[in-house]
Amino acid sequence: MTDRTAAVTRTTAETDIEVTLDVDGDGDSTIDTGIGFFDHMLDSFSTHGLFDLTVQCDGDLDIDDHHTVEDVAITLGEAFTEALGDKRGIRRFADRKVPLDEAVASVVVDISGRPYFEFDGKFSQASVGGMTSHMAKHFCRSLSMNAGLTLHCGVEGENAHHEIEALFKGLARALDDATRIDERRSDVASTKGEL
């Protein structure tokens, strides 16, 4: 199997980002976005997806967290696209339901090349540790649009920390499952012959 890795940078007037990704990693991460809770979520994403991930982001946090979270998701989505290449042999589809105490998140993904996003649920508190809760949903949307994912997510619970963390863990597990190579398949999992 060839290396499924990527290094992507994104520089705008709002953020300066460097992301490296190894889809077939060990779950090692080095994360620094300037938002402690977001760093924790990306670390959890790396750990539970077994993705080796580095994220360095210098964003306009003097304004708010929006540009940092959104642009990291865009860059990470581009990294997945680059690392997966023609997507030959991947399983393509996956779904996961992940609990965290009273909270539960569900994630269904198709690495289809056709970006689409649906979200069901709401977060119980407006923010967690410097991150606006609704930005977790926006992270998933931005990742979906830039990695070419059909992505359906949902959360329920009583604690936004748990809801968001379950969402990131579910996303990680579903992407790990969907990106795995099926040794029985030598082509792309599509009747069209491409994804």
Side-chain angles (χ1 to χ4, degrees):
M1 182 173 60
T2 60
D3 285 343
R4 299 192 299 167
T5 62
V8 179
T9 60
R10 176 180 173 86
T11 302
T12 71
E14 299 165 342
T15 58
D16 187 4
I17 300 171
E18 296 178 7
V19 168
T20 64
L21 171 68
D22 183 347
V23 173
D24 304 303
D26 299 312
D28 297 329
S29 66
T30 303
I31 312 291
D32 183 9
T33 67
I35 306 169
F37 182 69
F38 187 39
D39 291 355
H40 177 45
M41 293 303 96
L42 292 171
D43 182 57
S44 183
F45 176 83
S46 170
T47 297
H48 293 283
L50 292 171
F51 306 124
D52 288 349
L53 179 65
T54 64
V55 177
Q56 177 66 46
C57 177
D58 181 14
D60 56 0
L61 296 177
D62 56 310
I63 295 174
D64 67 9
D65 59 334
H66 185 101
H67 298 140
T68 293
V69 175
E70 178 180 59
D71 288 6
V72 166
I74 289 169
T75 311
L76 182 58
E78 291 172 351
F80 269 101
T81 296
E82 181 180 317
L84 294 176
D86 66 4
K87 304 177 188 80
R88 183 173 303 277
I90 66 168
R91 293 180 179 176
R92 179 179 168 179
F93 303 100
D95 66 285
R96 283 289 180 145
K97 201 163 193 174
V98 172
L100 180 54
D101 296 346
E102 89 300 339
V104 65
S106 62
V107 176
V108 181
V109 66
D110 175 8
I111 305 177
S112 62
R114 295 183 311 278
Y116 183 83
F117 180 71
E118 285 284 342
F119 186 86
D120 184 37
K122 60 183 181 178
F123 299 105
S124 295
Q125 288 80 41
S127 64
V128 180
M131 180 173 158
T132 310
S133 295
H134 73 83
M135 287 308 299
K137 173 182 172 181
H138 192 64
F139 174 89
C140 293
R141 179 187 302 278
S142 298
L143 181 71
S144 169
M145 295 300 120
N146 290 276
L149 308 176
T150 297
L151 186 60
H152 293 255
C153 300
V155 296
E156 57 185 77
E158 299 174 358
N159 179 294
H161 184 135
H162 293 168
E163 293 155 1
I164 295 168
E165 188 166 348
L167 178 62
F168 272 77
K169 288 176 177 176
L171 181 61
R173 296 302 303 132
L175 280 173
D176 179 45
D177 292 345
T179 58
R180 287 189 190 182
I181 298 296
D182 185 338
E183 298 298 337
R184 302 168 298 169
R185 184 179 297 284
S186 61
D187 58 356
V188 174
S190 172
T191 55
K192 293 189 292 289
E194 64 179 45
L195 290 171

